Amino acid sequence: MIVQTLIVAFVVSYFGSIPPGTINVSVMQLSMQKKQRAAIFLAFAASVIEFVYVGITVQFHLLLTNNETVAVYFRIITSLALIGLGIWNIFSKSTSTTVKVEEKITGRHGFRKGMLLGILNPMTIPFWLAITAQLEGDGWVDVSEFGFWAYLIGLSTGTFCLLLTVDALGKRFTKIADNSFLVHKVPGFILLGLGVYFLSKLIF
């Protein structure tokens, strides 16, 4: 179960990090400026912050789900949260391609910027709170004992590998970042579908 938790967490994190945001767009821009070292440090720092954030999120999730009645209501709330995030993405028209990075940035500065962007990412906690509740509820992951660390490692590694992919793609990633359908609509419908699916399982 630990290996399954690690793999599922990695896959969910990798594909869940594809929609362009401030972090992966910053990595893309650094790559386009031929500053791969800074991009890698930024990616690593952002992944470290995600590791910490998800750790806090999972502990909060475990605290809430100790009571069976609370667990049911919590899964309903997280299902509604996924539906809300999905609808928000579907109707969102903003893009993240306007994010700018400093012209003079070293590996050390990239690490510092990655830490800052990771800390200021407001979607991390509610997103992983909802996803974790549903993955564990459906038996896809086990976040108790050693499974907890496997889950955190899988998620942070998935994010880091996606950012390395963005760094490798460089300018080609702009085709994704500039595509409103891929950036907002596809993730939105996926989140909406997951929310409706999880909610229907609880109701019916």
Side-chain angles (χ1 to χ4, degrees):
M1 190 62 181
I2 292 177
V3 175
Q4 177 179 314
T5 296
L6 182 68
I7 294 173
V8 170
F10 178 90
V11 172
V12 171
S13 180
Y14 187 92
F15 289 100
S17 301
I18 289 177
T22 55
I23 296 174
N24 50 20
V25 170
S26 293
V27 170
M28 174 196 71
Q29 291 180 339
L30 285 171
S31 176
M32 290 170 61
Q33 295 172 10
K34 308 296 184 183
K35 298 174 181 176
Q36 272 78 20
R37 186 169 182 269
I40 291 172
F41 272 92
L42 191 154
F44 178 70
S47 301
V48 169
I49 294 299
E50 180 149 355
F51 182 93
V52 175
Y53 269 180
V54 175
I56 295 171
T57 301
V58 173
Q59 288 300 322
F60 183 60
H61 158 72
L62 292 173
L63 181 66
L64 289 177
T65 54
N66 280 336
N67 183 293
E68 187 174 340
T69 302
V70 172
V72 172
Y73 284 111
F74 180 58
R75 292 187 67 192
I76 292 174
I77 292 171
T78 56
S79 297
L80 294 175
L82 285 176
I83 292 172
L85 286 172
I87 293 174
W88 182 83
N89 269 279
I90 290 170
F91 291 100
S92 177
K93 296 183 181 299
S94 62
T95 62
S96 301
T97 53
T98 56
V99 175
K100 301 297 180 184
V101 296
E102 301 95 298
E103 289 297 323
K104 296 180 179 180
I105 183 170
T106 64
R108 182 180 62 187
H109 293 137
F111 185 84
R112 193 161 55 220
K113 186 175 182 67
M115 294 282 283
L116 180 62
L117 291 177
I119 291 171
L120 296 178
N121 186 0
M123 298 300 291
T124 301
I125 292 179
F127 176 77
W128 287 121
L129 194 60
I131 293 297
T132 301
Q134 302 302 338
L135 287 176
E136 188 186 41
D138 279 8
W140 284 95
V141 300
D142 177 13
V143 294
S144 62
E145 300 180 349
F146 292 111
F148 170 78
W149 297 107
Y151 188 66
L152 297 193
I153 292 170
L155 289 183
S156 55
T157 304
T159 298
F160 183 61
C161 288
L162 184 277
L163 293 176
L164 290 182
T165 303
V166 171
D167 183 30
L169 289 174
K171 190 175 182 178
R172 283 173 290 178
F173 187 71
T174 58
K175 293 180 180 180
I176 297 176
D178 290 332
N179 190 318
S180 179
F181 180 77
L182 290 177
V183 171
H184 297 296
K185 301 298 186 292
V186 172
F189 282 117
I190 291 174
L191 290 171
L192 180 61
L194 285 173
V196 171
Y197 170 71
F198 291 139
L199 189 61
S200 63
K201 286 188 65 176
L202 290 170
I203 295 175
F204 303 108

